[in-house]
Every structure is written in C-alpha cells, then in structure tokens.
Amino acid sequence: MEFCPNCGCRLEPQKIDTQVVLACSKCDYTKQAVGNRSQAKVVKVIQPAEQPFMTVITAEDSKINTMSTIKMKCEKCNNSECYVWQVQTRGGDEASTQFMRCTKCGHTFREYT
C-alpha cells in the first residue's frame, strides 16, 4: 500500500491505456506501478448484493396491542373500554390533546385537557 506524497491519500491502482499506474483520487498524482506488468493487479470493488427487507414485526405480532386502556364509554357503540394516548397538537405552552379509540368498534374521539 502506498500513499500520495502531496496529500497523503492512498494510491489506488488504475489502468491507463495499456499501463497500470498508482493514482491519487484527490490530487490527480500518478506514479508508475512498481514491478513488471504481470505483478501489478487492478483491484476490483465488489458491491454486495442487496438483501430483501426483513420483517421485524410479523402479522401475529401486530395483533398484540400495547396501548393503554381506560374505562370510558364509547359514544358510538356504548362499549366501556377505550385505548388512550396523548398528542401535543397545539403550542408547547398549552395542554396536550387526549385521544381515545374504542376497543370494540374502533371509533376515535378526543378530549381537550
């Protein structure tokens, strides 16, 4: 492995016409490759093949619900349990909005606190 005397970057082998030279990609410095032509090797960069996306959450895992629940009557189906979460929908100095979703029918409603 050799380095450029001008900028210190690694010199990489490149084929120019019929000769192999060591070239700097940063400052365009070139140097004749040491040894005869049969000893010089042009390095080929091999890119790994793209792997397919991996499913982290399976369909079975998505059925597991980790949301908090509260006892509150749904105004649509009269179910007595709802999922609950809070979102800061207005300015940071104002109270957050509490959302509820019925565990039975999926109706979503909100309450400004």
Side-chain angles (χ1 to χ4, degrees):
M1 185 179 299
E2 292 190 45
F3 297 93
C4 177
N6 298 336
C7 65
C9 287
R10 184 170 63 102
L11 296 176
E12 297 181 11
Q14 289 183 352
K15 188 174 183 180
I16 299 176
D17 296 326
T18 59
Q19 293 184 335
V20 176
V21 296
L22 297 174
C24 177
S25 61
K26 190 172 182 181
C27 69
D28 297 328
Y29 171 83
T30 58
K31 174 184 175 181
Q32 183 66 37
V34 178
N36 63 25
R37 193 171 157 192
S38 63
Q39 291 176 335
K41 295 181 182 178
V42 176
V43 178
K44 181 178 179 183
V45 177
I46 300 172
Q47 295 292 333
E50 282 192 33
Q51 298 294 321
F53 287 104
M54 183 186 323
T55 303
V56 178
I57 299 175
T58 63
E60 187 176 306
D61 292 338
S62 65
K63 294 176 185 175
I64 299 170
N65 200 327
T66 58
M67 294 181 72
S68 301
T69 57
I70 60 170
K71 297 225 182 268
M72 181 173 229
K73 190 174 182 181
C74 173
E75 53 197 41
K76 191 172 184 181
C77 71
N78 292 327
N79 184 30
S80 62
E81 190 175 37
C82 295
Y83 299 118
V84 64
W85 69 96
Q86 291 186 348
V87 178
Q88 188 69 40
T89 57
R90 295 171 285 182
D93 59 340
E94 296 183 33
S96 58
T97 304
Q98 186 169 344
F99 288 90
M100 281 76 65
R101 179 174 293 146
C102 179
T103 56
K104 185 178 178 183
C105 71
H107 174 66
T108 304
F109 51 102
R110 70 180 106 196
E111 181 179 90
Y112 298 103
T113 54

